[in-house]
Amino acid sequence: MKRTILFILLFLVSNVFAQETPTLKSLLGHEIGVEFTRHHEVISFYEKLHKAFETESKILEYGETNEGRKLMLFFMGSAENISRLDEVRNMHRLRGNNSKLPIIWLSYNVHGNESSATESSIQTAYKLLTEHKDWLKESIVIIDPCLNPDGRDRYVNFFKQYAAITQNTDPSSIEHKEPWPGGRFNHYLFDLNRDWAWLTQVESQQRMKIYNKWLPHVHVDFHEQGYNEPYYFPPAAEPFHEMITDWQREFQERIGKNHAKYFDSAGWLYFSKEIFDLLYPSYGDTYPMYNGAIGMTYEQAGSGRAGRSVRTNLGDTLTLKDRIDHHVTTGLSTVEVSLQNKNELIENYNSFGVDKKYKYAHYILRGDNDKLQKISNLLRAHDIEFGQIAKEGRVKAWSFRKQIEQNLTYNKGDLVVSTSQLKGPMVEVLFEPKTYLSDSLTYDITAWSLPFAYGIDAHGFNGALEMDKNWFQSFNRSSMPNCYAYLCKWNSMNSASFLQSILSQNITVKVAEKEFQIEDEVFPVGTLVIPRGINKDINDFDEILQRAAEDSWIDIYPVASGYVSKGKDFGSSSYNEIYLPKVGVLSGGDLSPLNTGEIWHFFEKELALPFRMFRLSELNRIDELDIIVLPAGELSADELEQLKQWIENGGRLLVFGDAAYNFVADFDISVRDLEIDYSATEREELSGLITGAIYECDLLAKSSPLTFGYSGYYSLRQSASNFSLKNGKTILSLPENAEQVSGFVGFKAKENQDKAMILGVENFGKGELIYFCDNPLFRGFWENGKLLVANALYFGND
């Protein structure tokens, strides 16, 4: 009888606990792995999970996407630690002995169609709060369930629309073939996994504000690759950036061995030490590494082709449930290893960068106010400290532009960034003039130095430097109510955004085709001249210009007369009126989604210039357009013929990257390519590759409107192809016997760079083609190239 009563009591107690702990299915609404979860359902799940484990979890909404979807983090820990989360974070940021908890941040679905990742986050979070509650007593685990909700929902909506009721494993079926552009990218078709350092996208910008408040000990980025591949986990492949410590590399090995233990037990295939290196600083594994963490990429087979299940080349069936199981296993294994080694993990994290010998102690930066403002905004976004030189002096310093050590007279007020700070390693990586490569076989570009990317003068200097931490720009925005005209020097995208703003408000603007001088001030070609007289019908003329200048962070100069000290007076034919162009951007077909997105983002977010994005199938409706932008990619013969007729009738076509190949047969442009050896190994192929190298260009047409605002230019090359024009005009080219400033160039590719065209113009009928052989909008971070595109839009080649 006593045993019966005890059994009943135990049964009742267990039922109470069962009712208190909801099942994963009851929270999610379906069994995990049987279907894809839309983003609003993901948010709903985490809200329910938080309600079920209210004291052990916390939700933080940190922003929203371009399409209005929520961005959120889910924190897990003991009830005590969650209740004092701010205190935990502050102790961690101090990097002292009081910090005892490893901070583990798990990020999912940065690529929207790598869709098992978000599903895996759901099961991982649930398992941590139920099966592994003890782990949470000794750690803080942060889950970002979806870094790219817009791309993910694009994929999930596609799949739900086309998926068969009974699972179709045939990879040729429509449910395994996403339409252009696919779900990998965000709203603007950017690859968010390449945006950690550049922060061009709103998702990255909002995430970085929170990430920099935490700077976790461990960060994992969960991905998917081709559905025929085995699972990848660290240790990573060479090249490792020299900033990465031996201990970070060794800890990756510990984690990899622990993963292997579980995969071996289950009989799952995997690989490590291949393909995925740790060099390019803008990934979800490298960026954390350069901030002292253990940053890692995990790659599960699947991606946009896998659906709920797919037949692989081996004849096996890969299911969504399989993919989730693998990611959940490595996620839990990561937490396990971090806890097993927590003291060592925290100790090495705290000492990262301490007493580090950097190449340069300081980077002294000079340039136009608006360019310095742009780079200072990026530094602030990364919590990188900077200031201004407090007292002028003279030192030996390395010149980025001249690539030599020279005498430098630095001035009070020059912007300076020091490596002597918490973010010193990140400063070193972002500013280093030459990237060191331990191995030339790398996954991404090999050069990115910020002074070249932003078009500013920079010097690296070792030694003592007196510096004030506060730095600010002073702008000339003085108003003269009865002035004859306002002037704006044309030297950066800030000038272009100012121009677009006032043109859209019906202000009449002229551009100076020749240099002029007023008293002691020299105004270069490209200077915008905005006379009051031809804008007499504009109400609030002064206020419009002042507001636009303030919004664009530029200088404007009021002048009392149209008479100049040197050059042509303002009534001269040397000043041409600027008109708002009617612009179209091609998309779809075999055109690059990434390049299309870069162009789209440039027009919409950088310039606020209205444009028409249209499909290749709509080329029969383009007569009213002044300019069409052709992203990288291939055209059909019919599409090319339609564009040809439009150009002949007076259209201006902007051609990006390898889209130039479309015009080699019937136009003036030609190309010298390297012969392809199809029997070559991947490493042998390197001899013919350029993996993102920086080259200094020759400015061949200094009077061309396409070069307004430039006295020199550095290009980021990703192709070894050598384009040239026979009868057209080459504006920018590489020099004879060109040598890269930084980055990897194979020896065969190097021989093919002699006088390669970077920017050129071909007249065709009444119209013209402007060739951007290197993409100046690459990933939105090559700031110094953007003005070339603005010049082509507003000035052309007149």
Side-chain angles (χ1 to χ4, degrees), residues 49-73:
L49 186 63
H50 169 56
K51 189 173 181 180
F53 299 93
E54 198 163 7
T55 59
E56 296 93 356
S57 66
K58 179 178 180 180
I59 288 178
L60 173 65
E61 291 183 14
Y62 65 88
E64 64 177 35
T65 68
N66 289 289
E67 297 177 15
R69 294 180 176 88
K70 291 180 180 179
L71 296 166
M72 62 152 285
L73 295 173

Side-chain angles (χ1 to χ4, degrees), residues 47-303:
E47 289 171 344
K48 292 174 183 176
L49 186 63
H50 169 56
K51 189 173 181 180
F53 299 93
E54 198 163 7
T55 59
E56 296 93 356
S57 66
K58 179 178 180 180
I59 288 178
L60 173 65
E61 291 183 14
Y62 65 88
E64 64 177 35
T65 68
N66 289 289
E67 297 177 15
R69 294 180 176 88
K70 291 180 180 179
L71 296 166
M72 62 152 285
L73 295 173
F74 190 73
F75 292 78
M76 293 173 286
S78 68
E80 179 188 358
N81 290 329
I82 290 296
S83 68
R84 60 184 194 100
L85 207 53
D86 288 341
E87 182 186 343
V88 170
R89 186 192 70 231
N90 290 334
M91 285 193 299
H92 166 63
R93 285 297 304 272
L94 290 172
R95 302 199 179 198
N97 294 330
N98 291 328
S99 177
K100 303 292 186 184
L101 297 173
I103 313 298
I104 303 147
W105 186 309
L106 308 177
S107 291
Y108 298 84
N109 241 137
V110 70
H111 294 144
N113 59 4
E114 298 178 6
S115 46
S116 73
T118 291
E119 310 294 339
S120 306
S121 82
I122 289 170
Q123 187 162 357
T124 301
Y126 184 81
K127 281 180 173 286
L128 284 169
L129 285 166
T130 54
E131 298 174 24
H132 300 288
K133 293 188 73 166
D134 287 347
W135 289 358
L136 298 179
K137 295 176 182 177
E138 304 178 69
S139 65
I140 296 292
V141 178
I142 306 169
I143 282 182
D144 190 328
C146 189
L147 281 69
N148 182 9
D150 291 350
R152 177 179 165 80
D153 265 8
R154 189 185 310 129
Y155 171 77
V156 172
N157 289 338
F158 150 76
F159 186 83
K160 285 180 179 287
Q161 182 178 5
Y162 288 100
I165 295 175
T166 56
Q167 295 188 28
N168 191 331
T169 64
D170 182 356
S172 299
S173 175
I174 191 172
E175 67 193 67
H176 299 293
K177 293 184 174 182
E178 288 180 272
W180 193 97
R184 177 182 177 89
F185 316 110
N186 79 334
H187 171 80
Y188 283 108
L189 308 185
F190 270 66
D191 185 334
L192 293 177
N193 192 40
R194 271 98 173 149
D195 196 45
W196 277 73
W198 319 132
L199 303 180
T200 68
Q201 300 302 293
V202 67
E203 296 92 342
S204 309
Q205 294 160 7
Q206 294 172 110
R207 183 182 68 250
M208 191 54 63
K209 290 177 183 178
I210 307 301
Y211 188 88
N212 272 323
K213 287 183 178 180
W214 280 93
L215 292 177
H217 297 103
V218 176
H219 179 265
V220 181
D221 212 8
F222 289 85
H223 287 259
E224 289 188 324
Q225 53 190 332
Y227 65 87
N228 289 304
E229 303 297 327
Y231 198 98
Y232 165 81
F233 50 69
E238 292 283 359
F240 281 73
H241 193 280
E242 56 189 335
M243 189 57 61
I244 294 170
T245 67
D246 291 341
W247 188 84
Q248 286 174 304
R249 298 178 66 161
E250 194 274 329
F251 198 84
Q252 276 203 347
E253 286 204 25
R254 291 189 206 179
I255 285 183
K257 288 177 179 177
N258 204 61
H259 295 348
K261 176 183 69 176
Y262 291 110
F263 275 57
D264 290 343
S265 175
W268 297 334
L269 291 177
Y270 59 91
F271 70 100
S272 64
K273 305 178 285 294
E274 296 180 64
I275 304 174
F276 303 104
D277 59 74
L278 291 171
L279 182 71
Y280 175 66
S282 204
Y283 280 132
D285 53 9
T286 50
Y287 186 90
M289 282 289 230
Y290 298 144
N291 284 281
I294 306 300
M296 293 172 290
T297 289
Y298 297 168
E299 295 271 358
Q300 162 61 39
S303 199

Side-chain angles (χ1 to χ4, degrees), residues 739-778:
E739 293 274 353
Q740 75 271 27
V741 173
S742 180
F744 173 77
V745 178
F747 73 89
K748 290 181 181 178
K750 182 177 180 180
E751 294 169 357
N752 199 48
Q753 297 311 295
D754 188 54
K755 297 184 177 180
M757 182 174 70
I758 304 301
L759 173 62
V761 180
E762 174 185 353
N763 293 322
F764 189 83
K766 296 178 182 178
E768 63 184 5
L769 298 91
I770 300 178
Y771 296 104
F772 294 95
C773 299
D774 287 349
N775 173 16
L777 302 182
F778 180 69

Side-chain angles (χ1 to χ4, degrees), residues 484-490 498-499 502-503 507-514 516 524-535 541 569-579 708 794-795:
Y484 183 86
Y486 285 95
L487 309 179
C488 171
K489 294 180 181 180
W490 184 263
F498 168 75
L499 173 62
I502 60 177
L503 285 176
I507 300 290
T508 300
V509 186
K510 294 196 171 191
V511 60
E513 300 285 342
K514 297 181 184 298
F516 63 93
V525 293
T527 294
L528 304 180
V529 180
I530 310 138
R532 182 182 298 276
I534 58 177
N535 287 287
F541 173 71
D569 296 331
F570 293 162
S572 166
S573 59
S574 294
Y575 300 89
N576 293 328
E577 187 171 343
I578 305 170
Y579 298 94
F708 283 176
Y794 296 112
F795 309 136

Side-chain angles (χ1 to χ4, degrees), residues 513-527:
E513 300 285 342
K514 297 181 184 298
E515 180 182 286
F516 63 93
Q517 185 171 331
I518 297 178
E519 297 179 349
D520 295 331
E521 187 78 29
V522 176
F523 292 87
V525 293
T527 294

Side-chain angles (χ1 to χ4, degrees), residues 315-361:
D316 295 330
T317 298
L318 175 67
T319 69
L320 177 58
K321 184 69 169 60
D322 295 332
R323 293 150 64 193
I324 294 170
D325 286 346
H326 300 163
H327 265 338
V328 170
T329 299
T330 55
L332 295 176
S333 172
T334 300
V335 178
E336 180 184 38
V337 177
S338 300
L339 286 172
Q340 289 171 351
N341 300 273
K342 66 176 185 178
N343 293 333
E344 194 177 349
L345 178 65
I346 294 169
E347 180 183 344
N348 280 274
Y349 172 90
N350 289 347
S351 63
F352 182 77
V354 176
D355 299 326
K356 172 73 178 175
K357 178 65 175 176
Y358 296 104
K359 187 173 182 65
Y360 295 110

Side-chain angles (χ1 to χ4, degrees), residues 595-645:
N595 193 203
T596 304
E598 290 158 354
I599 295 163
W600 177 12
H601 185 264
F602 173 77
F603 282 138
E604 201 156 86
K605 303 298 281 188
E606 300 268 358
L607 278 180
L609 189 155
F611 70 100
R612 179 203 301 176
M613 186 181 289
F614 62 102
R615 297 180 179 88
L616 287 164
S617 60
E618 300 172 293
L619 275 169
N620 59 339
R621 298 191 300 169
I622 58 175
D623 289 345
E624 71 276 20
L625 295 174
D626 303 313
I627 296 172
I628 291 177
V629 186
L630 175 62
E634 190 173 349
L635 300 173
S636 70
D638 287 344
E639 291 160 354
L640 181 59
E641 184 60 32
Q642 288 175 297
L643 277 177
K644 186 175 180 179
Q645 292 176 12

